[in-house]
Amino acid sequence: MTSRRKFIQQTTAGAAALTIPFNVPAKTFRPMTDPGALVLSTWNFGLKANEEAWKVLKADGRALDAVCAGVKIPEADPKVTSVGYGGLPDRDGRVTLDSCVMDEFGNAGSVCAIEHIMHPSSVARLVMEKTPHVILVGEGALQFAIDQGFKKENLLTPESEQAWKNWLKTGDYKPINWENNHDTIGMIAIDSKGNLSGCCTTSGLAYKMHGRVGDSPIIGAGLFVDNEVGAATATGNGEYVIKVAGTAMIVELMRQGKSPVEACHEVVMRVAKKFPDKVKDIQTAFIAINKHGEYGGYALRKGFQYAHYNTEGFGLSDSEFFAE
Ligand code: GLY
């Protein structure tokens, strides 16, 4: 039997041997055919976000820079009431935001339930780049953001405050009601060097319990990137995305040879099979890109759209879905 000491020795030797592949530019893994740059994001507000991301990709920039620039558009838009500034608050009237990023090297950063910071995605990126950690939550995430020079702001717009006050009249706690409620932006991109990255950012479920965190800042649930295979991101009721390890599963299915749409379909069907009683009340939707630049999405329910931008132009597609 391998002793612990021997195992550590073997692991250390293995790690030394692995130094070279880890440092090889990801271009090494590029497929034979040039996929060209592409950015993909959830919902129709992805159109404007993609436009911003495309500026970076068109200039041969890095996919990570593209997605980080793109998602800042809905984060700063007070009319988008499910992301960043103007996001609908929790049931205590507090706007709490979730976000994560993942790059082509497998690095990841995330903030959960952060308050008062308009661009949680930018904080998540700094968690990835400037700390030895992956996730910072709540007060700790806010403190880190302030230390990094972010401005503390009131993110509750008068419109969102009014909507919350209207909700308070009944205070009906129905976290399964997704309509007009869940519009996370998940954005994934492949750059002209063939590298993949992604970002996911949201204010989460409207009128949620204070402290509730969905899938969006959870690596492997709301977002997953493997530069050898592809990337996937999610939107919808985060609890169900988490329960099927949604995006990590999609990337693994693509690794086994499924196309992006087939992989998204398979994972949506797992939600449908495991939680048949919930299908009528929830939405769960995924988009994915593979290393060859093929892309697609699939949703549990009708109505999901995703935006795309590549050298052929931009567009918005109606996703295929499981149920009306
Ligand atoms: N998908 C976003 C959330 O559940 O919070």
Side-chain angles (χ1 to χ4, degrees), residues 126 150 190 290 308 320:
L126 290 181
F150 286 79
I190 185 163
N290 69 15
H308 33 89
E320 290 180 73

Side-chain angles (χ1 to χ4, degrees), residues 85-226:
Y85 176 53
L88 290 166
D90 66 19
R91 65 186 189 179
D92 299 343
R94 297 162 73 158
V95 180
T96 68
L97 307 177
D98 298 332
S99 182
C100 74
V101 297
M102 194 162 186
D103 75 7
E104 70 270 37
F105 302 108
N107 298 313
S110 158
V111 288
C112 302
I114 189 171
E115 294 181 68
H116 308 301
I117 301 293
M118 188 174 297
H119 294 296
S121 59
S122 306
V123 185
R125 180 168 179 171
L126 290 181
V127 172
M128 174 175 86
E129 292 178 341
K130 297 208 166 172
T131 81
H133 309 301
V134 173
I135 304 177
L136 291 180
V137 306
E139 275 300 314
L142 175 61
Q143 192 52 56
F144 172 71
I146 290 167
D147 292 348
Q148 293 297 319
F150 286 79
K151 202 167 59 170
K152 203 171 161 183
E153 295 178 86
N154 173 24
L155 303 180
L156 186 63
T157 57
E159 292 76 15
S160 288
E161 187 172 11
Q162 191 53 55
W164 168 64
K165 285 184 174 158
N166 291 344
W167 173 81
L168 275 181
K169 286 178 191 155
T170 56
D172 207 5
Y173 192 58
K174 277 191 186 158
I176 55 170
N177 178 8
W178 70 275
E179 283 183 50
N180 301 320
N181 197 347
H182 267 281
D183 300 291
T184 302
I185 183 152
M187 181 180 276
I188 46 182
I190 185 163
D191 61 32
S192 61
K193 296 182 181 66
N195 289 323
L196 292 147
S197 286
C199 181
C200 192
T201 180
T202 189
S203 53
L205 189 65
Y207 322 129
K208 61 196 173 188
M209 287 174 71
H210 181 63
R212 179 267 186 190
V213 170
D215 61 307
S216 303
I218 308 297
I219 298 298
L223 176 71
F224 198 71
V225 176
D226 184 322

